[in-house]
């Protein structure tokens, strides 16, 4: 099973962000963990990160024909990017929305996600281990056939 893990805005600076909120790991450390968890689950994972909304959307488009499941952490785009929402809506495979922090207990503007209702599963506020839960969910999910 091929899984694409897409990380959005500012996740490249993860190690500089508040460790109490974001888990105290760098993006490289997080991706190493993701690859290890994927291997354990017999998944093939590909991690990507960008600060460009257009590139993030292009990667979702790439997943239409190449992925069996998608993990997305759009970062702040989760709260307002209907362009990302529209791209995710066209996926023919399940996707899991992940947020390292507990967005439900943070600032008011972070509490709403425009992609939430489309996600097959959501993992909120579990730090880096949230990605493991997302991969476990996808490993146990039957993929919709095209």
């Amino acid at each position: 099973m091929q899984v694409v893990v897409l990380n959005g805005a500012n996740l490249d600076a993860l190690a500089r962000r508040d460790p109490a909120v974001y888990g105290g790991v760098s993006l490289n450390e997080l991706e190493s963990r993701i690859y290890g968890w994927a291997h354990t689950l017999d998944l093939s994972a590909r991690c990507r990160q960008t600060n460009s909304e257009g590139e993030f959307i292009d990667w979702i488009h790439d997943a239409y024909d190449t992925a069996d499941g998608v993990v997305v952490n759009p970062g702040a785009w989760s709260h307002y990017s209907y362009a990302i929402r529209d791209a995710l809506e066209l996926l023919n495979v399940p996707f899991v929305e992940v947020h390292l922090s507990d967005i439900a207990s943070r600032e008011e503007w972070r509490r709403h996600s425009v992609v939430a209702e489309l996600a097959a599963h959501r993992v909120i506020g579990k730090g880096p281990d949230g990605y493991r839960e997302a991969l476990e969910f996808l490993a146990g999910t039957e993929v919709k056939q095209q």
Side-chain angles (χ1 to χ4, degrees):
M1 177 179 206
Q2 178 66 44
V3 175
V4 177
V5 180
L6 302 178
N7 285 300
N10 297 313
L11 285 158
D12 59 325
L14 194 54
R16 297 177 177 269
R17 300 187 85 176
D18 183 350
V21 175
Y22 294 99
V25 299
S26 70
L27 181 62
N28 286 339
E29 291 168 325
L30 176 61
E31 289 179 347
S32 291
R33 290 182 190 183
I34 290 168
Y35 289 127
W37 294 324
H39 178 76
T40 300
L41 294 165
D42 291 323
L43 302 174
S44 177
R46 179 171 188 201
C47 295
R48 301 176 102 174
Q49 186 281 327
T50 184
N51 293 316
S52 167
E53 185 177 9
E55 187 168 41
F56 196 86
I57 291 166
D58 287 342
W59 290 344
I60 295 168
H61 291 179
D62 290 346
Y64 294 164
D65 299 319
T66 62
D68 300 306
V70 179
V71 175
V72 296
N73 182 344
W77 294 324
S78 307
H79 313 298
Y80 65 87
S81 178
Y82 287 95
I84 288 173
R85 184 194 189 287
D86 287 349
L88 288 168
E89 188 172 25
L90 297 174
L91 278 171
N92 219 11
V93 297
F95 80 87
V96 179
E97 178 185 11
V98 173
H99 293 279
L100 294 160
S101 69
D102 181 5
I103 61 174
S105 65
R106 296 191 62 200
E107 302 92 339
E108 185 66 35
W109 64 269
R110 292 186 195 268
R111 295 179 187 170
H112 175 72
S113 167
V114 299
V115 304
E117 69 183 36
L118 302 175
H121 186 64
R122 298 179 77 213
V123 185
I124 309 298
K126 295 188 178 179
D129 286 340
Y131 287 84
R132 183 182 67 217
E133 182 178 323
L135 293 171
E136 289 170 346
F137 176 85
L138 290 172
T141 299
E142 287 188 28
V143 178
K144 295 188 295 185
Q145 296 300 313
Q146 295 184 7

